[in-house]
Amino acid sequence: MDIFEEINLKGYVDEYIDPTLDLFDEIEKLKKEKNAVILAHYYQEGDIQDVADYIGDSLGLSQQAAKTDADVIVFAGVHFMAETAKILSPTKKVLLPDVKAGCSLADSCPPHLFKKFKEQYPDHLVITYVNCTAELKALSDIVCTSSNAVQIVESLPADQKIIFGPDKNLGAYVAKKTGRDLVLWNGACMVHEIFSREKITKLKERHPDARILAHPECEDVILELADYIGSTTGILKYATKSDATEFIVATEPGIIHQMEKDNPGKVFIPAPPNNNCACNDCPHMKRNTLEKLYLCLKNEMPEVTVPADIIEKAVKPIERMLDISAKLGL
């Protein structure tokens, strides 16, 4: 089996790695040799965050992908994030350590079905959450992230009719915050939908002084418990500025690595999910490992590509988001 067949089968390069290698050093050498930059999402494992050149949420990562002068972008995240980087930097080589690192939210909104949904509301402007495929972005007027969704909706005329997709929970949160009547696509993130209100309430009883921090992709019954609702970056900033010393964190627990690094004297407790394994890791984000990242950079594959016609259409709503965000100072 050659390397291309292996990637098609497994999703990543699977080669022997000398166990005596210091992967951190080797990755640094490869970055310099190939003029590469590593962009990592907060939900990645700690080792990947530590070797990354930039760690951020979807908005920050999009901004970095648009302005980097690297020749190679290694995106330690999921497939739609690497696609976004390719759309914004079409002449650069974009790599993903495991090409099968997908997204349950993106999967919940097939573009051909969304296109029919959109046709039912011809006078509506389409805002899509960045957690979607390149094809869905190409069907959109504006892309948003959890950091700027409220502000983007508020920046539009009050009488502008809007379709919001694919995340129904983020859409409902935005509608509540803005007072706008949004038409929502019925999609959701598997990680943010499994938090248990009952278990979080019991955890709060054991930690009465803890602040509950929640991502707006969570269901409303969880958001009602929260002391703060925001994007991953917003959650990090709140925890750093807060006088509280204990926090219950209702988002993917990969973020806790940075929270602990930035706040060594504070305690961060993952919010319990409504399942038996007490685990709310994103299985897609966690497909990436330091070993896969090293082999990806070494071999310059798997590479993520996007058809030119999709790039041409999808770049416009993303650039519109970045322009609005820049004007609003986000």
Side-chain angles (χ1 to χ4, degrees):
M1 184 186 300
D2 67 23
I3 195 168
F4 297 102
E5 290 174 326
E6 186 173 68
I7 289 171
N8 286 334
L9 180 65
K10 296 183 177 180
Y12 58 92
V13 177
D14 187 11
E15 288 180 356
Y16 171 78
I17 299 175
D18 183 343
T20 66
L21 278 182
D22 184 325
L23 292 185
F24 288 94
D25 285 346
E26 294 300 316
I27 288 169
E28 288 300 326
K29 290 175 189 173
L30 286 168
K31 283 196 295 186
K32 291 174 184 173
E33 176 189 320
K34 297 173 183 285
N35 187 27
V37 64
I38 297 174
L39 308 181
H41 195 275
Y42 286 123
Y43 296 166
Q44 292 295 288
E45 63 175 45
D47 283 349
I48 290 178
Q49 293 187 42
D50 290 343
V51 81
D53 298 288
Y54 180 84
I55 311 158
D57 61 8
S58 295
L59 175 59
L61 293 168
S62 297
Q63 291 167 330
Q64 289 295 318
K67 69 183 184 182
T68 183
D69 58 2
D71 296 317
V72 178
I73 299 172
V74 183
F75 216 115
V78 293
H79 197 270
F80 77 79
M81 296 178 177
E83 282 186 333
T84 303
K86 185 64 178 179
I87 291 164
L88 291 168
S89 300
T91 62
K92 301 183 188 303
K93 180 175 280 191
V94 178
L95 308 174
L96 185 64
D98 190 325
V99 80
K100 291 190 177 182
C103 172
S104 60
L105 178 54
D107 290 345
S108 73
C109 191
H112 68 287
L113 295 181
F114 187 82
K115 186 173 184 291
K116 291 181 179 179
F117 179 75
K118 174 184 172 180
E119 288 168 356
Q120 297 175 43
Y121 305 93
D123 56 345
H124 284 53
L125 183 137
V126 177
I127 299 177
T128 52
Y129 187 28
V130 71
N131 297 32
C132 65
T133 63
E135 289 85 354
L136 200 70
K137 291 178 176 71
L139 293 169
S140 309
D141 296 296
I142 309 175
V143 168
C144 73
T145 73
S146 54
S147 293
N148 60 22
V150 169
Q151 293 92 330
I152 283 177
V153 169
E154 288 178 337
S155 75
L156 300 172
D159 60 351
Q160 175 63 62
K161 296 177 181 179
I162 298 169
I163 294 171
F164 190 97
D167 193 290
K168 63 181 180 182
N169 294 322
L170 177 61
Y173 171 75
V174 171
K176 191 173 183 178
K177 291 287 286 185
T178 62
R180 305 288 282 267
D181 184 19
L182 307 180
V183 176
L184 305 180
W185 174 267
N186 188 27
C189 164
M190 62 184 287
V191 171
H192 291 96
E193 283 230 307
I194 63 172
F195 291 113
S196 165
R197 180 184 175 95
E198 180 184 358
K199 290 181 181 178
I200 292 173
T201 302
K202 289 179 179 177
L203 185 60
K204 175 72 172 177
E205 289 173 0
R206 298 199 300 274
H207 300 270
D209 297 327
R211 302 281 175 84
I212 299 175
L213 314 181
H215 193 282
E217 286 182 44
C218 294
E219 294 180 312
D220 191 54
V221 292
I222 303 300
L223 298 182
E224 288 172 353
L225 300 174
D227 297 289
Y228 174 79
I229 302 167
S231 67
T232 45
T233 296
I235 286 172
L236 274 165
K237 288 180 178 177
Y238 180 91
T240 299
K241 292 178 181 178
S242 175
D243 293 333
T245 57
E246 284 189 308
F247 302 87
I248 296 168
V249 184
T251 189
E252 213 277 353
I255 192 177
I256 291 177
H257 179 69
Q258 285 301 315
M259 298 178 97
E260 290 175 339
K261 285 179 71 174
D262 294 347
N263 304 278
K266 297 181 179 180
V267 175
F268 300 95
I269 308 163
N274 189 20
N275 60 29
N276 294 325
C277 72
C279 169
N280 55 353
D281 284 350
C282 173
H284 303 289
M285 284 282 186
K286 295 305 192 283
R287 286 187 70 96
N288 297 312
T289 64
L290 192 66
E291 290 77 12
K292 289 179 184 178
L293 192 153
Y294 163 69
L295 291 172
C296 165
L297 185 52
K298 175 173 172 270
N299 293 281
E300 295 190 25
M301 58 179 67
E303 182 177 359
V304 172
T305 59
V306 179
D309 61 323
I310 297 295
I311 288 178
E312 185 180 355
K313 294 174 184 175
V315 73
K316 295 173 184 176
I318 299 173
E319 287 181 339
R320 192 168 175 188
M321 171 191 75
L322 294 174
D323 288 343
I324 294 171
S325 296
K327 288 174 183 174
L328 295 174
L330 300 174

